[in-house]
Amino acid sequence: MFASLLVVAIIGAIAWAGSAVGLGVLFGVVLPYVAVAAFFVGVIWRMVYWAKSPVPFAIPTTGGQERSLDFIKQAKWDCPTTTFGVVRRMFLEVVFFRSLFRNTCADVREFDEVNNGPRTIYFSSKWLWVFSLLFHYCFLLVFIRHFRFFMDPVCPVITWIETIDGIMQVGAPRFFWTGGLLLCALLFLLARRAFNQRLRYISLPNDYFPLFLLIGIVGTGICLRYFDKTDIAQVKVFIMGLVHFAPVSADGINALFFVHLTLVSVLLLYFPFSKLMHMAGIFFSPTRNLPCNTREVRHVNPWNPPKQFYTYAEYEDAFRDAMADAGLPLEKQPEKAAE
Amino acid sequence: MYNAKAVIVGIIIFAGIFSAPFWVNFNGTRDYKRPELVLPKTPNEKACIESAEFMRANHMTLLNEWRDQALRNENRVYVASDGRKWTISLQNTCMKCHDNYAEFCDKCHVTNNVDPYCWTCHILPKGNK
C-alpha cells in the first residue's frame, strides 16, 4: 500500500520538477502522445488476445433458477437462455452493476439471542455497489466535462452538464459535485481495502496503485480548479494544440497542470496491462456472456481434436461372416447384407 | 478469433469513443488561438488591482471574495498586494475600466465554456456601454 503511494508520489514529483526546470515538452507533449498510442494499441491487443482464447466449458453464472420443467419458474433476468436475455443481463451489469448489488457480507456476532452465544450472520451489503456506481458515473461525467478543452465552439450538451453539475452555485469557479463525489468514492474504495482486514489481506499493489493514481489525478484536478489555479485560456490553447497534432509552447502554465497530465498519461500507459481492463473484459467474461442453457445445448470444447468413431454397424460389416459362423445375433443377416 | 464480428464491432466502438478528443472538433477551428481581448481604451487607472498573471488565473476567486466582503462582512476596502487600496465594488471599480463585456469578459468565457452567475444580481452590461 505504501509502496504504491510512494510510486504515485514520485511520478508526481518528477513531473513537477521536470516541468519546473523546463521539460514541459517532455511531460506535456511526448508523454501524452506515447501514452495515448500505448493505450489504444494495448487495449486492442488485449481484446484480440481474449477473442482468440477458446472457452473450454460453458460456465455462465447463474443467479437464479435455470429453465427446467414447465411448472418450475425460471429466473429470466438472472439465468437467461436466449441471446436477448444475455444482452439484457449484460446491459444491466454494465450500466447498473447488478452483480455488486447482490453483494453479501459475513460476520460473527458476538452474542445472538437465537444461539444464546456467538453466531455467524450473513447480510446484504450495498456499500461497494453504491460507491462503485458513484465512482464510475462521476468519472464519466468528469471525462465528458473535459471536452470543453477539446472543442471550439463548445457543444451545448457540455454547457448543460456543467450547469447541472454546478447547480448549487457554490463559490467561483463553481463547485462541481461530480469532482467532489468522485474523490469521496475513491477514498471509500481505498478505506475499504485499508480498514477491512480480510480485504486488506488479499489486496495487492496492483489494487492500491490504480486507486492512488486516480486519487492523484482527481486531487490535482481539484487543486487546479479551486486552489492553485492556472490560466485556463492558455491551457486550452495548449490542449487544442495537442489534439490537432500541432503542439504549442507550454510556457506560462502552472507546473501542477503537468503533474495532472503526467498522472493521466501514466494511467493510460498502465491501463491495458492492469485490472482496469475490466472495461473491455466484462464483455469477454464467459460467466456473463454465455446463455444459461447448458442442459439444452452441448458446448463443445474448441480445442478438442476431431474424434475417430467406429460404429457398431461398421464393426458388423467387418466381421459379419465370422459372427454368423459363430451363431451370434446380427442386425443384418449375411444374405440380406449382400443384396 | 472467436465471435470475430462482435469483437470487431466492439473494437471499433472502443476506438471511436476514446479517440473522441481528436475528432470531436472536426467541424470547429483547426487553428485555435488564444482569444484576443479588447483592453480598456481609456483607462482611468494605470494598472489593474493585481498583476495580469494573477488576474488571469484568480479573478473569479477574487470576485467571489469581494462579494463576501462587501455583502456579508460590510467591508468595502480591499488592500492589494502592492499596498494600494481599492473600493470593493464590481460596478464602480472593475467595470469603471473593464466596460466592454462582449469583447473582454465574454471572449474567454465563451470559448472556455464558463458561465458566471454574476448577472443573476448585477445588471448584465449590454454591448459596449
Side-chain angles (χ1 to χ4, degrees), chain B residues 21-81:
Chain B
F22 296 95
W23 57 257
V24 78
N25 197 36
F26 186 68
N27 281 330
T29 34
R30 305 299 297 166
D31 186 24
Y32 182 79
K33 290 265 190 308
R34 193 190 171 92
E36 282 171 21
L37 308 182
V38 174
L39 295 174
K41 278 175 191 142
T42 50
N44 302 319
E45 299 288 340
K46 282 174 192 153
C48 199
I49 56 169
E50 301 281 359
S51 69
E53 288 72 36
F54 178 86
M55 291 308 281
R56 275 179 196 154
N58 294 296
H59 66 277
M60 62 304 263
T61 322
L62 186 89
L63 287 171
N64 197 51
E65 206 166 289
W66 274 28
R67 181 201 63 186
D68 290 352
Q69 288 296 326
L71 297 175
R72 297 181 187 171
N73 302 343
E74 289 186 49
N75 172 22
R76 285 274 178 183
V77 182
Y78 174 75
V79 181
S81 55

Side-chain angles (χ1 to χ4, degrees), chain A:
Chain A
M1 185 161 110
F2 295 105
S4 307
L5 179 61
L6 199 64
V7 171
V8 175
I10 288 172
I11 293 168
I14 289 172
W16 180 287
S19 55
V21 299
L23 288 171
V25 176
L26 179 66
F27 292 103
V29 179
V30 178
L31 186 63
Y33 278 138
V34 170
V36 168
F39 175 71
F40 279 103
V41 173
V43 170
I44 291 171
W45 166 73
R46 277 297 281 270
M47 286 167 82
V48 171
Y49 175 78
W50 280 331
K52 280 182 174 170
S53 309
V55 178
F57 306 110
I59 47 167
T61 340
T62 57
Q65 173 63 49
E66 188 176 350
R67 195 170 88 181
S68 178
L69 301 169
D70 285 341
F71 60 88
I72 298 174
K73 200 184 169 200
Q74 180 199 359
K76 287 198 173 163
W77 293 73
D78 283 315
C79 204
T81 47
T82 58
T83 310
F84 169 74
V86 172
V87 170
R88 180 174 63 184
R89 184 175 66 168
M90 183 66 92
F91 175 81
L92 292 173
E93 182 65 40
V94 170
V95 175
F96 298 113
F97 307 174
R98 242 173 127 242
S99 59
L100 287 186
F101 192 74
R102 278 202 294 270
N103 197 26
T104 55
C105 191
D107 208 355
V108 178
R109 189 178 279 176
E110 290 302 325
F111 181 81
D112 187 85
E113 288 175 2
V114 178
N115 279 21
N116 216 4
R119 177 186 169 208
T120 309
I121 52 168
Y122 302 89
F123 53 93
S124 168
S125 176
K126 304 272 187 254
W127 293 103
L128 179 61
W129 176 75
V130 169
F131 281 94
S132 33
L133 262 185
L134 196 63
F135 164 72
H136 284 88
Y137 278 102
C138 286
F139 203 174
L140 177 66
L141 283 171
V142 169
F143 176 67
I144 293 172
R145 276 208 278 102
H146 275 73
F147 275 72
R148 74 179 172 131
F149 294 116
F150 302 140
M151 56 203 302
D152 184 72
V154 178
C155 175
V157 174
I158 293 162
T159 314
W160 182 76
I161 291 175
E162 283 199 354
T163 309
I164 300 293
D165 206 347
I167 199 159
M168 299 305 283
Q169 297 193 336
V170 178
R174 252 181 272 187
F175 175 69
F176 281 151
W177 282 98
T178 47
L181 289 175
L182 181 54
L183 188 62
C184 290
L186 278 167
L187 290 175
F188 171 83
L189 294 176
L190 179 66
R192 186 177 147 265
R193 290 195 182 276
F195 296 117
N196 184 329
Q197 288 191 339
R198 277 163 290 182
L199 258 173
R200 189 174 177 161
Y201 184 74
I202 59 168
S203 294
L204 296 168
N206 59 21
D207 295 314
Y208 291 118
F209 179 71
L211 277 173
F212 282 121
L213 195 59
L214 286 166
I215 289 171
I217 290 169
V218 176
T220 50
I222 287 175
C223 277
L224 273 169
R225 183 172 168 83
Y226 304 106
F227 305 113
D228 188 13
K229 292 191 224 294
T230 190
D231 175 17
I232 64 160
Q234 193 60 37
V235 168
K236 177 145 182 176
V237 173
F238 182 73
I239 294 287
M240 290 295 269
L242 279 184
V243 296
H244 286 147
F245 300 104
V248 295
S249 163
D251 293 341
I253 300 179
N254 191 338
L256 191 62
F257 170 75
F258 292 99
V259 178
H260 186 65
L261 195 59
T262 302
L263 290 175
V264 173
S265 302
V266 171
L267 180 73
L268 290 177
L269 277 173
Y270 176 72
F271 197 96
F273 314 103
S274 68
K275 67 175 200 165
L276 302 176
M277 269 305 287
H278 68 264
M279 181 184 75
I282 180 97
F283 297 103
F284 288 93
S285 307
T287 54
R288 301 270 108 210
N289 66 16
L290 286 175
C292 306
N293 57 1
T294 46
R295 292 181 192 167
E296 298 165 30
V297 180
R298 184 175 144 83
H299 182 94
V300 180
N301 182 355
W303 74 64
N304 278 351
K307 279 217 161 65
Q308 297 292 319
F309 292 105
Y310 189 48
T311 61
Y312 177 72
E314 290 165 346
Y315 174 85
E316 205 184 82
D317 285 344
F319 299 106
R320 182 167 291 110
D321 293 335
M323 288 167 82
D325 289 347
L328 290 170
L330 288 167
E331 301 261 306
K332 285 179 184 174
Q333 296 306 319
E335 55 271 22
K336 282 200 175 173
E339 282 172 9

